[in-house]
Amino acid sequence: MRNIKLTIEYDGSRYQGWARLGKNESSNTISNKIQEVLRKMTGEFVIDLNCGCRTEVGVHAYAQIVNFNTESTMSVLDIKHYLNRYLPMDIAITDVEEAMPRFHAQLNAKSKTYVYRMTISDVPSVFDRKTTYHCYKVPDKRKMQQAAAKLIGKHDFKNFSTVKKTKSTVREITNIEIYDDIEEMQITIQADDFLHNMARIIIGTLLDIGFGTRSLDVIDAIFDGTEEASAPCDPKGLYLQDIEYNAPVANDPVIGSL
């Protein structure tokens, strides 16, 4: 049994997230589209995809990481070409590797990074309207940086999420950077893991502070539960940028590569 690792880029605009489970289960998900093609490619009915970070409805990815087990003898290059030929054009496999047998895309992840892209020019771009959020007022970068500093470290982020059931809501944010130029502002958040909607709610709260509708003190108040967090930001500007791993991922030598 081989363990195959995929690096995936996708535009999440028309999908119901990476996966939708339970009562809201949907076939229009990133994972389902990939599974459909993998079943045809391998002839194997059951293909379990382990993803590094389950993105939500409308969220994009520059580098989602996935692994799956297969008996297929296809080379990694042929797997890459097959998937890119039959997947929708808004999902692309940018890399395929033969992973170590025990590698698991979610369980072995060391950190995950999201980036939020906002246009701040006078006129919103016609071409970027589906993949960036347009700010009709430029947020105060300095206030947002001051608020972001309160979020760094290990905290209970339950009040900054919509999570319902989980063993622990404690997460550690290692870095938040805010970059801007004359046309765009970006918020980058790196953490050991994210709760459901955590990234979007943090960004929504930072933007409210940047727009002056909430004060810096609101961060502490949300942690304490004396105030509600802001609404999640518009998902169309959010991208899963990177997932880091503690140990080497690929086998050496790579079986079946060209």
Side-chain angles (χ1 to χ4, degrees), residues 206-237:
L206 291 178
L207 283 175
D208 280 349
I209 292 169
F211 291 140
T213 57
R214 305 194 79 170
S215 70
L216 283 171
D217 295 336
V218 77
I219 299 294
D220 295 323
I222 294 169
F223 275 130
D224 294 340
T226 55
E227 286 203 42
E228 296 285 333
S230 297
C233 65
D234 191 321
K236 67 182 179 181

Side-chain angles (χ1 to χ4, degrees), residues 182-201:
I182 60 173
E183 295 184 347
E184 187 169 320
M185 176 176 282
Q186 296 182 1
I187 302 173
T188 303
I189 305 176
Q190 182 180 41
D192 58 353
D193 199 5
F194 289 88
L195 300 168
H196 189 255
N197 273 325
M198 176 176 154
R200 289 180 58 206
I201 289 174

Side-chain angles (χ1 to χ4, degrees), residues 20-22 34 47 59 61 76 79-80 89 98 101 103 107 121 130 134 186 190 193 202 207 222 235 247 251 254:
R20 301 289 284 178
L21 304 174
I34 296 171
I47 300 287
V59 177
V76 292
I79 292 173
K80 179 179 178 181
M89 294 298 289
E98 187 94 22
F103 171 73
L107 299 180
S121 54
K130 293 182 180 180
H134 182 72
Q186 296 182 1
Q190 182 180 41
D193 199 5
I202 286 175
L207 283 175
I222 294 169
N251 263 330
V254 177

Side-chain angles (χ1 to χ4, degrees), residues 74-95:
M74 290 178 66
S75 73
V76 292
L77 187 59
D78 285 344
I79 292 173
K80 179 179 178 181
H81 288 169
Y82 188 100
L83 288 170
N84 284 320
R85 179 179 180 182
Y86 291 106
L87 281 169
M89 294 298 289
D90 49 10
I91 304 174
I93 308 301
T94 60
D95 191 45

Side-chain angles (χ1 to χ4, degrees), residues 35-44 82:
Q35 284 173 321
E36 287 177 351
V37 178
L38 285 174
R39 290 189 187 107
K40 293 177 183 178
M41 184 188 79
T42 64
E44 299 165 355
Y82 188 100

